[in-house]
Amino acid sequence: MLDSKIPSGPLDQKWTSYKGHCKLVNPANKRKLEVIVVGTGLAGASAAASLGELGYQVKAFCFQDSPRRAHSIAAQGGINAAKNYQNDGDSVYRLFYDTIKGGDYRSREANVHRLAEVSVNIIDQCVAQGVPFAREYGGLLNNRSFGGTQVKRTFYAAGQTGQQLLIGAYQALERQVALGKVTMYTRHEMLDVVVIDGKARGIICRNLVTGELERHFGHAVVLCTGGYGNVFYLSTNAMGSNVTAAWKAHKKGAHFANPCFTQIHPTCIPVSGDHQSKLTLMSESLRNDGRIWVPAKAGDKRAPNDIPEEERDYFLERRYPAFGNLVPRDVASRAAKERCDAGFGVGTTGQAVYLDFKYNLINKYGKAEANKQGLQNPDTETLVRLGKEVVKEEYGNLFDMYEKITGENPYEVPMRIYPAVHYTMGGLWVDYELMTSVKGLYALGEANFSDHGANRLGASALMQGLADGYFVIPYTIGNYLADEIATKPIATDHPAFLEAERNAAERIQKLMNIKGTQTVESFHKRLGKIMWEECGMARSQKGLTKAIEEIRQLKKEFWSDVRIPGDINEMNPELDKAGRVADFIELGELMCIDALDRNESCGGHFREESQTEDGEALRDDQQFAYVAAWAYQSDSNWQLNKEPLTFEIAKPSQRSYK
């Protein structure tokens, strides 16, 4: 039975009440307790830094050569917070409601409200660390708009917000490393969780430089290992992003929740060929100042600047007049796919739409700058020049990135964009304290399922990662560790450690002994093709059933014909990748099983059998208002556990952005 441990009382007082009544560990006892943190992105770095500052002995692990290599660095557009600096009607409640609605009523109310509450503290924390957020003329922090909202609540640092926030968290982490409170293990990959008497007591990891397996004890283990979007092969995730740590925890008893909830990001540079190994994101913030359109006539191959205004279809503004280009990501993505499938797509493949900035260059920024400078009746060329200068300040690095990749100048020619796999809302099931179904094992940030439902609003990933690390886990882990202060460190020659290490070694040896004919990459590509076609932007019973069989066949082929060069006891990236792809194959099967079982459409999960007359997602709250938490039983065998979702404040209704 799943116990979400949601505190009693009014929704807006639950977190305050929890903090006032949770157990505490006094400073002298904190020094006796060891905590393992796996992953050093925003969630991991902030958690390790915070726990070290509190006095715990922390071991932090990452598979990169530095915590600063974490994929959080790639986030572009911004971080949400309900500070209402714009005085445009924002509030903690509004952020809470937008997040619940944006997630299509498939997230847990209590967790989301807590997230909205602590969001205001995150900005103050980061400013104190020196994060260079954009500022208005008077020196106040600036905000911009993101999809799914009608207020400006997104704080940003040009188009590199994730990088700046990660540097802040990294500095906090390194301070604790220098003080001896945190021990940093780079180039180490977690291969298993050690569970003793039902509690997480450590991990097995592989030194990626020497190939050696290592055993590490901890009174608690905190997983901050990000999402699993690379199961699709082509995604906006870094090439190294994987599911292995979370998957090993899952196979040791941690439930995996809502694995089919995958976010498709609407503004990515389109696929250009089979040679690609990843896709590049263009920040959603660009929709704030760009207009998305396709030619009004199907098959129109003219250059975009040759198509007059009256022959363009600004389809998001047409279909969703209230939100226009700022509808949530799932809605924008499906609308773009619909236009392309209907033959209105642009570019050589026809799988793209235009994101055009010229209108706002002239009318929003150009005219404002001209007025500032006292220019009377400036010509269009002057307005464009003035507008460019403003846009360069806000988005310059994104425009430069686009031009380097495509060879086209987005100031002169509209960007071509198309949806791509981005964020995963599913992850390890956690309760209100962020603890998984294994005692002492926690999951933070994108590694857990808790805050975003079936679709994440833009600029909320950074918010959740830092909220979990800086402001939630310091309280909730103490509530658990208060009962562990009498537990002495367990020697790593304990039978449970030896067995976990032996199992990890045997799996590695098994992979190396296959000596087949096909590369790891080829299997990953084939898995990604199955997942994208049958469990991507649209899913159906027929397609998912087919995908499950194809993945099971792919798994048999992988374990009989994969070829891994090199040796075990050396730096061997191909071996590292093989283990990750093997886990992706198993995860892909569960994702399709979960998608098949959830016979409704909600957020990013779009079942073709469940849609409204005008093609929007059609939820079934009578049958599916629950979190699907899957327990691993054996190979290709999972048990479904359901956590009912109850809504005290944000009553479920059909989403409308019109």
Side-chain angles (χ1 to χ4, degrees):
M1 185 69 180
L2 295 172
D3 179 9
S4 57
K5 299 181 187 173
I6 297 173
S8 59
L11 184 65
D12 60 354
Q13 295 176 29
K14 289 182 187 296
W15 181 232
T16 300
S17 175
Y18 178 90
K19 290 189 293 182
H21 295 88
C22 65
K23 299 173 185 175
L24 300 177
V25 181
N26 81 50
N29 285 331
K30 284 174 183 169
R31 292 193 292 269
K32 303 173 186 175
L33 296 169
E34 300 178 38
V35 180
I36 288 174
V37 177
V38 183
T40 55
L42 285 180
S46 59
S50 299
L51 296 175
E53 181 77 36
L54 287 172
Y56 296 105
Q57 294 299 314
V58 180
K59 295 179 182 178
F61 296 80
C62 69
F63 63 72
Q64 301 95 339
D65 61 354
S66 165
R68 284 186 59 179
R69 301 279 191 190
H71 183 55
S72 301
I73 204 170
Q76 298 170 349
I79 176 171
N80 288 331
K83 294 184 84 69
N84 195 30
Y85 281 176
Q86 303 293 324
N87 198 28
D88 58 358
D90 200 11
S91 64
V92 167
Y93 175 82
R94 183 78 64 179
L95 175 53
F96 155 75
Y97 180 77
D98 286 346
T99 305
I100 290 283
K101 178 184 176 183
D104 219 351
Y105 302 93
R106 290 294 174 261
S107 48
R108 191 190 285 152
E109 259 196 346
N111 287 63
V112 175
H113 197 281
R114 175 176 64 189
L115 177 65
E117 287 179 64
V118 304
S119 69
V120 297
N121 299 329
I122 295 170
I123 304 304
D124 297 337
Q125 170 90 2
C126 294
V127 168
Q129 290 175 337
V131 173
F133 286 122
R135 294 180 181 268
E136 294 178 325
Y137 178 76
L140 297 177
L141 297 183
N142 204 357
N143 294 108
R144 58 188 177 202
S145 301
F146 258 66
T149 70
Q150 291 179 305
V151 298
K152 288 186 174 183
R153 66 161 66 101
T154 304
F155 296 79
Y156 64 96
Q160 48 187 252
T161 314
Q163 180 184 31
Q164 299 302 328
L165 292 174
L166 185 61
I167 289 172
Y170 169 75
Q171 289 175 154
L173 171 61
E174 287 301 307
R175 177 172 180 272
Q176 297 305 314
V177 171
L179 291 172
K181 299 292 186 65
V182 176
T183 304
M184 190 69 230
Y185 294 85
T186 58
R187 291 291 191 188
H188 281 68
E189 181 166 29
M190 187 193 111
L191 297 184
D192 208 353
V193 177
V194 178
V195 179
I196 301 175
D197 297 330
K199 296 181 179 180
R201 292 302 192 193
I203 64 171
I204 304 298
C205 61
R206 182 168 180 266
N207 183 319
L208 298 182
V209 177
T210 66
E212 295 178 57
L213 295 179
E214 300 177 5
R215 307 186 289 265
H216 294 273
F217 165 79
H219 288 89
V221 177
V222 182
L223 300 184
C224 310
T225 50
Y228 49 87
N230 276 351
V231 68
F232 291 88
Y233 187 70
L234 285 179
S235 82
T236 65
N237 287 254
M239 291 294 292
S241 298
N242 64 83
V243 77
T244 289
W247 196 248
K248 299 309 184 192
H250 171 55
K251 296 181 86 167
K252 275 296 180 71
H255 294 355
F256 210 103
N258 299 334
C260 77
F261 285 170
T262 306
Q263 180 169 79
I264 312 296
H265 197 295
T267 54
C268 296
I269 298 178
V271 176
S272 59
D274 288 339
H275 64 282
Q276 280 185 267
S277 55
K278 79 175 298 292
L279 296 174
T280 303
L281 172 71
M282 288 287 103
S283 170
E284 181 182 350
S285 61
L286 294 173
R287 288 199 279 150
N288 180 37
D289 287 313
R291 302 178 74 194
I292 295 173
W293 63 276
V294 292
K297 181 181 177 182
D300 191 336
K301 297 300 181 185
R302 286 179 291 174
N305 290 339
D306 293 336
I307 300 176
E309 193 72 17
E310 61 273 14
E311 295 179 34
R312 300 180 178 188
D313 176 18
Y314 294 94
F315 58 92
L316 291 180
E317 298 171 34
R318 169 173 56 82
R319 291 179 60 173
Y320 310 102
F323 281 73
N325 295 296
L326 289 175
V327 292
R329 291 175 177 177
D330 59 319
V331 177
S333 295
R334 278 196 298 275
K337 180 179 186 295
E338 184 275 328
R339 288 291 79 192
C340 292
D341 290 349
F344 294 87
V346 301
T348 55
T349 64
Q351 295 295 299
V353 299
Y354 289 126
L355 178 57
D356 197 335
F357 298 90
K358 193 164 188 180
Y359 178 86
N360 277 336
L361 277 176
I362 296 172
N363 292 286
K364 182 177 178 181
Y365 293 121
K367 289 182 178 179
E369 283 299 303
N371 288 334
K372 283 183 189 177
Q373 297 180 22
L375 300 177
Q376 301 296 322
N377 301 316
D379 57 22
T380 300
E381 184 179 341
T382 300
L383 291 175
V384 169
R385 177 178 57 79
L386 294 172
K388 279 183 185 178
E389 293 173 3
V390 179
V391 169
K392 279 181 180 178
E393 285 187 24
E394 291 211 18
Y395 307 111
N397 63 310
L398 298 176
F399 279 53
D400 293 343
M401 189 190 310
Y402 182 88
E403 186 170 7
K404 284 180 181 178
I405 292 172
T406 66
E408 298 174 356
N409 183 346
Y411 293 106
E412 308 293 340
V413 180
M415 286 184 180
R416 285 174 292 109
I417 58 168
Y418 192 71
V421 172
H422 181 52
Y423 187 94
T424 49
M425 285 76 66
L428 293 176
W429 181 89
V430 293
D431 60 23
Y432 188 73
E433 298 182 319
L434 304 184
M435 190 190 292
T436 69
S437 45
V438 175
K439 289 183 179 179
L441 178 64
Y442 295 81
L444 278 55
E446 194 178 356
N448 74 34
F449 88 97
S450 67
D451 291 22
H452 307 297
N455 174 59
R456 177 174 69 80
L457 289 184
S460 289
L462 307 184
M463 175 174 61
Q464 187 206 347
L466 292 179
D468 288 355
Y470 282 138
F471 299 109
V472 179
I473 196 66
Y475 286 94
T476 62
I477 202 169
N479 197 48
Y480 170 75
L481 291 175
D483 295 329
E484 297 294 322
I485 56 177
T487 302
K488 302 297 183 186
I490 299 172
T492 55
D493 59 359
H494 185 283
F497 276 95
L498 298 178
E499 181 184 2
E501 181 182 6
R502 182 170 61 251
N503 291 338
E506 288 175 356
R507 186 173 190 260
I508 291 171
Q509 193 64 57
K510 183 179 178 182
L511 283 167
M512 294 299 296
N513 288 342
I514 296 171
K515 301 189 186 304
T517 61
Q518 300 183 59
T519 64
V520 175
E521 194 82 350
S522 67
F523 282 104
H524 196 180
K525 275 189 177 183
R526 287 165 60 190
L527 172 66
K529 191 170 189 296
I530 296 169
M531 296 298 296
W532 177 247
E533 291 181 353
E534 308 300 351
C535 197
M537 292 184 68
R539 296 107 184 255
S540 67
Q541 181 177 356
K542 180 181 177 182
L544 290 166
T545 303
K546 173 188 168 192
I548 292 167
E549 291 305 313
E550 289 181 347
I551 292 170
R552 287 173 178 169
Q553 183 56 43
L554 184 71
K555 182 179 179 180
K556 290 179 183 176
E557 196 175 334
F558 175 90
W559 285 100
S560 62
D561 199 32
V562 73
R563 181 172 184 81
I564 304 168
D567 294 317
I568 293 173
N569 295 316
E570 65 179 11
M571 190 171 184
N572 189 343
E574 202 68 11
L575 174 58
D576 307 335
K577 186 162 59 175
R580 296 166 190 167
V581 171
D583 294 329
F584 274 140
I585 292 172
E586 294 181 5
L587 167 68
E589 182 181 352
L590 178 59
M591 289 174 69
C592 292
I593 290 171
D594 184 45
L596 182 62
D597 185 76
R598 188 172 284 276
N599 192 19
E600 66 162 351
S601 291
C602 56
H605 170 61
F606 190 75
R607 282 289 294 268
E608 293 175 351
E609 302 92 339
S610 184
Q611 54 183 301
T612 64
E613 289 183 2
D614 52 356
E616 303 294 345
L618 182 62
R619 285 196 332 271
D620 182 352
D621 293 326
Q622 293 297 315
Q623 301 294 325
F624 296 99
Y626 61 77
V627 176
W630 297 88
Y632 179 79
Q633 304 288 295
S634 59
D635 191 35
S636 296
N637 180 23
W638 288 270
Q639 177 187 343
L640 174 60
N641 300 277
K642 300 178 181 179
E643 179 200 338
L645 291 170
T646 56
F647 295 91
E648 302 173 22
I649 305 297
K651 300 299 182 184
S653 61
Q654 179 64 34
R655 277 199 309 168
S656 174
Y657 293 93
K658 297 183 177 182

